[in-house]
Amino acid sequence: QRDPDGAPRVRALILVPTRELSEQVRDYLRSLTLYCTAEVNCVMLSADAPLSSQKCVNYYFLNIILCSF
């Protein structure tokens, strides 16, 4: 779904307590969205991962953001 100005928007923010659980949820989301990857985009962010690897994510086209804290 898009905003009134036509821009895509984030539809879900999933917060999990550990990176390991975040990886499990990411793998499950990948299996759920296997046939609709062109329409549904997901990214996993983590406090444990280097910030430089997370800066290059294009947040404009994301539908699901998965975060561990």
Side-chain angles (χ1 to χ4, degrees), residues 12-37 40-46 48-50 53-54 57 62 64-68:
L13 173 64
I14 302 170
L15 301 173
V16 293
T18 64
R19 181 183 172 111
E20 292 79 17
L21 182 58
S22 181
E23 291 172 354
Q24 291 175 10
V25 172
R26 179 199 58 202
D27 294 341
Y28 184 71
L29 284 171
R30 283 183 179 167
S31 69
L32 284 176
T33 60
L34 181 64
Y35 299 107
C36 58
T37 55
V40 179
N41 299 305
C42 178
V43 68
M44 184 180 85
L45 303 176
S46 174
D48 299 337
S53 67
Q54 298 180 42
V57 175
L62 289 177
I64 302 171
I65 298 176
L66 175 60
C67 301
S68 61

